[in-house]
């Protein structure tokens, strides 16, 4: 009788476990997508844009504390990491025509109040200036240099034009290359100073109605921005060992990581009299902008311009905010970041991304608190400071936590300009293309009822390599952590970029009036983080990576041919073919483990995931010659391209310098790194089988039997007690 009861309760217990295990699982992804709220996204944006919050200012510190307390409210473990860095701020500015006397003019250097935009008369807004410009007082002839690209400078000093730029004050227009590159080149060509203006041909009235009647840059709108040498030194510009190597530890950073000549931005309204005063050669048609009543003569002169700027350099604190949602695998982290500091209000750049990050944190907190979700891997939220000056907060963090990040970071997801338009885009590590395609296919495109997904509006072929210009730089280029930068973009955001008019009013009227694209961006970035955090097998695809490497090698071949340089590419081609084969093997291994019913915590699954995660680190080399910070052999910003990437950057830089030997050396190093990736993806050989222990299996059977017996007896006793109780009641 007792044996029968034991079997009965064992069967009952097993059936109960089966029923519970067979219950439908909660679909946390669907629940998450229902949570981001357009209204709350606007509320977050309203807070961030209420006051200017330039890095290192009291309001910047207030936004750090507000972000911290919000994340704590949402259930994250959160804290602030204070760092002390080099920043500068304007004290005095003057631009004036001093000769000839009939053309005397003093620039207003002001962005006027727009009555429709209540924040545009805020007196705490920083005056228009370029971060990291030194002080200087220059009186010199003016020369127009178009966009100030490398080819523009080469044209000006060519024999057919023959203009000496030594000691001249240069006037460039924004566009084509990062403003810091314009400063590097002006300095290298001996200029005394540089002014940079926004031409209406690029972001003004030729594009459409100007602010406040439309989204484009008005006559007195000014683009602030850093002129630090970002393609040489992201982060604190004093850290020459990081950026240039140990030989420069005791050197001055002036002229090496920041300009040695003064630089300042202008509106086209203030630039117009300067352009009108130029004579001499008329610029080629491609150099002509759209400033009214201007012939686009190059100069030099005859006007003489005085440019006087005083700035103060401070060693000042900035504040990164870190929030942590711990996963079952606490020591594996998915990183999700956005910078918080802005040149003024920064509704588009960066506060649309800050609002998105806040909605993701709130939504994840709801999943944890209301639905019991806990990610398999830790998700770390990062609100960076000092990005606008040159990626300072993220770079300092990456260097400070280098060892921990190298061991634990699965991937870094970046949302800088979260919403600047309605066109989705993403750039990133080739191995993560599959992830982005899957995420974009799962998220509905904002403001549609036709079942259209974000993927339906995005061309996956546009997914390209990362250059620089945002906080992913330290993660991919220095630490070798797979990274993605994602956004909803559009051309109109350039009309108010880095100006006082990048405001809540602009976003309400022109950027995202319904805030549905903020909601959509939260869904995309949040879902990408969830899939990286919760996937049993990490969604890295090295077949895709090999395919991109083949494409990138074609770019190198094409460039070398144009320079009449012949490179031996066979060993690199062979390495890429081998990576393709290894990637295919890994895809089969992923499919097998994914279908096996194993958990992310199983030993063999964790081992595969670590191989997938750490393989990217093998693309790190010794650094590009002259730019050792940029260690990734596949992608980095071009030296004179600013934000734009070069593929196989060490090779391309050597080719452009005409150094065939160095180009071959860099290509050989890249090939060795590809081989290193293959090795990292290869599982270690199986260890020798352990000595046979014949008593192990019987012991396990006995323990299982005892466990079932104990559970059954307890259940029987509880049943018997309840039966007696019912009998007594009767």
């Amino acid at each position: 009788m007792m044996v029968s009861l034991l079997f009965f309760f064992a069967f009952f217990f097993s059936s109960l476990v089966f029923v519970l295990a067979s219950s439908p699982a909660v679909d946390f992804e669907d629940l998450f997508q229902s949570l981001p709220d357009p209204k709350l996204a606007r509320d977050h944006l309203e807070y961030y844009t209420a006051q200017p919050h330039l890095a290192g200012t009291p309001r910047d510190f207030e936004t750090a504390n507000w972000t911290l307390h919000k994340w704590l409210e949402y259930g994250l473990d959160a804290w602030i990491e204070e760092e002390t860095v080099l920043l500068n701020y304007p004290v005095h500015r003057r631009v004036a025509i001093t000769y000839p006397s009939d053309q005397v003019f003093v620039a207003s250097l002001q962005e006027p109040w727009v009555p429709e935009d209540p924040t545009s008369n805020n007196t705490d807004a920083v005056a228009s200036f370029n971060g990291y410009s030194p002080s200087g007082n220059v009186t010199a002839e003016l020369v127009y240099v178009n966009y100030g690209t490398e080819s523009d400078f080469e044209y000006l000093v060519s024999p057919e034009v023959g203009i000496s730029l030594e000691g001249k004050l240069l006037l460039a227009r924004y566009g084509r290359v990062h403003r810091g590159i314009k400063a590097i080149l002006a300095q290298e060509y001996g200029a005394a100073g540089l002014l940079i203006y926004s031409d209406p041909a690029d972001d003004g009235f030729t594009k459409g109605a100007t602010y406040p009647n439309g989204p484009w840059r008005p006559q007195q709108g000014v683009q602030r921005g850093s002129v630090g040498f970002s393609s040489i030194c992201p982060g604190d510009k004093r850290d020459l060992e990081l950026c240039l190597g140990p030989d420069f530890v005791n050197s001055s950073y002036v002229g090496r990581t920041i300009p040695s000549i003064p630089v300042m931005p202008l509106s086209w309204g203030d630039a117009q009299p300067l352009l009108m005063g130029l004579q001499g050669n008329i610029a080629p048609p491609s150099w002509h902008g759209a400033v009214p009543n201007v012939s686009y003569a190059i100069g030099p002169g005859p006007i003489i311009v005085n440019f006087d700027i005083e700035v103060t350099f401070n060693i000042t604190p900035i504040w990164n905010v870190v929030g942590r949602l711990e996963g079952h695998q606490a020591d594996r982290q998915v990183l999700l970041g956005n910078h918080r500091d802005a040149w003024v209000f920064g509704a588009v750049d960066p506060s649309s991304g800050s609002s998105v990050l806040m909605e993701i944190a709130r939504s994840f907190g709801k999943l944890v608190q209301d639905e019991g979700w806990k990610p398999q891997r830790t998700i770390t939220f990062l609100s960076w400071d000092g990005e606008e000056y040159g990626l300072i907060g993220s770079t300092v963090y990456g260097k400070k936590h280098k060892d921990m990040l190298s061991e634990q970071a699965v991937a870094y997801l970046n949302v800088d300009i979260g919403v600047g338009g309605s066109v989705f885009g993403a750039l990133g590590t080739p191995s993560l293309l599959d992830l982005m395609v899957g995420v974009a296919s799962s998220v509905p495109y904002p403001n549609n009822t036709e079942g259209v997904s974000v993927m339906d509006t995005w061309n996956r072929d546009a997914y390209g390599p990362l250059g620089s210009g945002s906080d992913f730089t330290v993660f991919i280029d220095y630490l070798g952590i797979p990274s993605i930068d994602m956004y909803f973009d559009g051309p109109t955001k350039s009309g108010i970029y880095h100006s006082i008019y990048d405001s809540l009013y602009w976003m309400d009227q022109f950027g995202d009036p319904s805030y549905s694209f903020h909601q959509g961006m939260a869904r995309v970035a949040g879902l990408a983080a969830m899939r990286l955090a919760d996937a049993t097998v990490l969604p890295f695809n090295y077949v895709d990576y090999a395919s991109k490497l083949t494409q990138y090698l074609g770019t190198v071949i094409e460039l070398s041919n144009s320079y009449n340089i012949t490179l031996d590419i066979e060993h690199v081609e062979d390495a890429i073919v081998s990576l393709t084969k290894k990637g295919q093997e890994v895809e089969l291994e992923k499919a097998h483990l994914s279908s096996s019913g194993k958990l992310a915590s199983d030993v063999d699954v964790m081992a595969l995931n670590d191989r997938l995660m750490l393989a990217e680190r093998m693309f790190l080399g010794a650094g590009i010659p002259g730019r050792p910070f940029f260690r990734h052999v596949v992608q980095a910003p071009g030296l004179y391209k600013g934000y734009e990437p070069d593929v196989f950057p060490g090779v391309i830089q050597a080719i452009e310098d005409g150094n065939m030997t160095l180009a071959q050396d860099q290509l050989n190093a890249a090939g060795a790194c590809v081989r290193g990736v293959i090795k990292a993806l290869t599982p270690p050989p199986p260890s020798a089988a352990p000595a046979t222990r014949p008593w192990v299996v019987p012991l396990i059977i006995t323990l299982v039997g005892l466990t079932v017996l104990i559970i059954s007896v307890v259940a029987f006793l509880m049943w018997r007690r309840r039966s007696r109780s019912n009998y007594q009641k009767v």
Side-chain angles (χ1 to χ4, degrees):
M1 179 68 179
M2 179 60 70
V3 173
S4 299
L5 284 172
L6 289 176
F7 275 111
F8 168 75
F9 284 115
F11 174 77
F12 172 79
F13 177 75
S14 301
S15 300
L16 180 62
V17 170
F18 176 78
V19 169
L20 292 174
S22 302
S23 300
V26 177
D27 191 331
F28 290 116
E29 289 190 1
D30 282 353
L31 282 173
F32 166 72
Q33 288 215 55
S34 71
L35 291 173
D37 186 329
K39 180 183 181 302
L40 291 177
R42 188 190 184 279
D43 290 346
H44 304 319
L45 190 69
E46 185 173 23
Y47 171 79
Y48 282 118
T49 59
Q51 296 290 333
H53 48 289
L54 184 61
T57 62
R59 175 63 179 183
D60 178 36
F61 183 56
E62 288 177 20
T63 64
N65 274 306
W66 185 82
T67 301
L68 170 69
H69 288 112
K70 280 291 183 183
W71 286 358
L72 290 170
E73 176 188 328
Y74 298 153
L76 303 183
D77 181 18
W79 61 92
I80 290 175
E81 295 192 7
E82 181 176 298
E83 308 293 348
T84 303
V85 301
L86 177 72
L87 301 177
N88 73 333
Y89 305 94
V91 176
H92 163 79
R93 306 160 304 138
R94 182 176 186 268
V95 174
I97 298 175
T98 59
Y99 175 86
S101 58
D102 62 344
Q103 294 186 49
V104 168
F105 160 78
V106 178
S108 71
L109 306 180
Q110 297 292 326
E111 291 177 299
W113 172 49
V114 172
E116 295 89 338
D117 184 344
T119 58
S120 62
N121 67 342
N122 190 305
T123 56
D124 290 332
V126 68
S128 54
F129 86 115
N130 286 127
Y132 290 129
S133 167
S135 299
N137 191 338
V138 175
T139 300
E141 289 183 306
L142 189 71
V143 177
Y144 173 60
V145 297
N146 193 27
Y147 289 109
T149 66
E150 192 174 14
S151 61
D152 291 337
F153 278 94
E154 290 170 352
Y155 171 77
L156 288 167
V157 300
S158 64
E160 56 267 31
V161 179
I163 294 177
S164 171
L165 302 177
E166 190 77 30
K168 303 295 193 298
L169 179 60
L170 309 185
L171 178 62
R173 54 172 165 161
Y174 269 113
R176 300 290 172 86
V177 295
H178 181 256
R179 66 191 79 82
I181 302 304
K182 302 175 196 289
I184 290 176
L185 290 165
Q187 174 182 298
E188 289 180 353
Y189 278 85
L194 173 67
L195 300 170
I196 313 173
Y197 79 100
S198 300
D199 198 288
D202 299 305
D203 62 8
F205 62 78
T206 64
K207 302 292 186 180
T210 59
Y211 196 70
N213 301 313
W216 295 99
R217 195 177 300 274
Q219 183 173 352
Q220 297 299 329
V222 183
Q223 182 191 141
R224 296 156 181 79
S226 174
V227 288
F229 300 164
S230 62
S231 62
I232 296 173
C233 189
D236 193 330
K237 301 301 180 278
R238 300 172 299 167
D239 195 348
L240 298 188
E241 182 175 11
L242 178 69
C243 296
L244 299 176
D247 292 344
F248 292 86
V249 169
N250 298 317
S251 301
S252 171
Y253 52 82
V254 177
R256 290 186 171 90
T257 62
I258 69 171
S260 59
I261 61 172
V263 186
M264 197 174 77
L266 297 175
S267 66
W268 75 257
D270 280 341
Q272 183 181 32
L274 307 184
L275 290 163
M276 291 174 65
L278 289 171
Q279 296 178 17
N281 292 336
I282 302 299
S286 62
W287 286 36
H288 289 203
V291 177
N293 304 315
V294 168
S295 66
Y296 286 90
I298 294 174
I303 61 170
I304 304 293
V305 176
N306 173 244
F307 166 32
D308 182 14
I309 182 168
E310 180 185 354
V311 299
T312 178
F313 279 86
N314 298 335
I315 308 301
T316 189
I318 60 172
W319 306 275
N320 291 328
V321 189
V322 184
R324 181 179 169 91
L325 179 58
E326 187 165 302
H328 293 288
Q329 297 178 36
D331 62 351
R332 292 295 179 266
Q333 299 186 51
V334 176
L335 312 175
L336 181 58
N338 154 268
H339 77 91
R340 190 186 64 257
D341 64 300
W343 284 110
V344 193
F345 305 108
V348 173
D349 181 13
S351 300
S352 62
S354 303
S355 169
V356 163
L357 202 67
M358 192 63 71
E359 266 306 274
I360 297 171
R362 186 191 67 80
S363 299
F364 282 0
K366 292 278 287 181
L367 286 182
V368 171
Q369 294 161 15
D370 297 351
E371 304 295 339
W373 176 60
K374 184 174 183 176
Q376 284 296 321
R377 302 172 187 89
T378 295
I379 299 175
T380 301
F381 289 81
L382 297 152
S383 175
W384 305 119
D385 203 356
E387 189 271 358
E388 294 293 8
Y389 277 87
L391 320 180
I392 299 177
S394 57
T395 303
V396 172
Y397 181 90
K399 179 184 177 184
K400 178 180 177 181
H401 299 291
K402 177 182 177 182
D403 291 342
M404 179 271 289
L405 292 167
S406 295
E407 293 173 5
Q408 299 186 9
V410 173
Y412 175 72
L413 306 177
N414 192 65
V415 182
D416 185 333
I417 296 177
V419 180
S422 59
V423 180
F424 177 72
L427 302 170
T429 309
S431 58
L432 292 174
L433 174 58
D434 268 3
L435 170 73
M436 285 313 303
V437 169
V439 167
S441 299
S442 301
V443 175
Y445 183 77
N447 279 347
N448 87 89
T449 58
E450 306 298 325
V452 176
S453 72
V454 171
M455 188 66 224
D456 292 329
T457 71
W458 181 46
N459 178 7
R460 62 178 286 163
D461 292 338
Y463 183 86
L466 293 164
S468 187
S470 195
D471 293 299
F472 54 77
T473 302
V474 68
F475 295 100
I476 184 62
D477 289 319
Y478 182 67
L479 296 172
I481 294 168
S483 301
I484 299 176
D485 187 38
M486 60 192 88
Y487 42 82
F488 277 105
D489 204 357
T492 58
K493 78 170 192 304
S494 63
I496 42 78
Y497 181 63
H498 287 184
S499 77
I500 200 171
Y501 307 121
D502 183 4
S503 64
L504 185 69
Y505 181 82
W506 187 94
M507 186 64 76
D508 283 347
Q509 297 299 312
F510 308 111
D512 186 17
S514 68
Y515 287 82
S516 59
F517 285 92
H518 283 72
Q519 178 189 52
M521 192 69 250
R523 287 171 170 168
V524 170
L527 190 57
M530 287 185 78
R531 290 189 176 176
L532 285 165
D534 273 345
T536 300
V537 178
L538 289 173
F540 294 124
N541 188 322
Y542 281 88
V543 178
D544 284 346
Y545 215 131
S547 176
K548 286 289 187 180
L549 290 180
T550 299
Q551 177 185 327
Y552 299 163
L553 185 60
T555 300
V556 170
I557 295 168
E558 184 178 345
L559 182 68
S560 64
N561 289 340
S562 70
Y563 277 77
N564 293 317
I565 290 176
T566 301
L567 297 173
D568 178 6
I569 64 170
E570 183 177 355
H571 65 296
V572 179
E573 288 181 316
D574 290 345
I576 294 172
V577 170
S578 297
L579 180 59
T580 302
K581 293 177 181 177
K582 178 56 63 178
Q584 292 166 344
E585 292 173 11
V586 171
E587 287 303 298
L588 291 174
E589 185 181 359
K590 286 167 58 181
H592 170 70
L593 287 177
S594 296
S595 63
S596 67
K598 293 192 175 186
L599 303 176
S601 57
D602 286 342
V603 173
D604 49 354
V605 177
M606 292 178 66
L608 171 60
N609 284 335
D610 280 354
R611 281 154 46 209
L612 290 166
M613 177 184 83
L614 297 174
E616 186 75 33
R617 315 288 198 267
M618 298 300 104
F619 281 116
L620 296 179
I624 300 171
R627 297 192 290 156
F629 175 89
F630 295 98
R631 302 164 64 200
H632 203 289
V633 299
V634 174
Q635 54 189 42
L639 176 59
Y640 290 115
K641 296 173 186 173
Y643 295 162
E644 294 302 311
D646 273 342
V647 292
F648 291 113
V651 184
I652 284 185
Q653 184 171 309
I655 291 172
E656 291 176 340
D657 289 342
N659 190 333
M660 178 178 172
T661 301
L662 182 59
Q664 187 65 60
D665 289 345
Q666 289 291 299
L667 190 60
N668 293 343
C673 286
V674 176
R675 297 282 183 193
V677 173
I678 295 168
K679 184 177 180 181
L681 289 171
T682 303
S687 56
T692 303
R693 295 181 175 90
W695 48 267
V696 171
V697 172
L699 176 62
I700 293 173
I701 293 172
T702 302
L703 290 174
V704 171
L706 284 173
T707 302
V708 171
L709 177 62
I710 292 168
I711 292 171
S712 301
V713 169
V714 170
F716 171 72
L717 291 174
M718 292 177 65
W719 170 79
R720 187 175 180 184
R721 182 178 180 182
R722 189 176 296 110
S723 298
R724 287 179 176 176
S725 175
N726 291 338
Y727 174 77
Q728 289 170 358
K729 288 179 183 179
V730 173

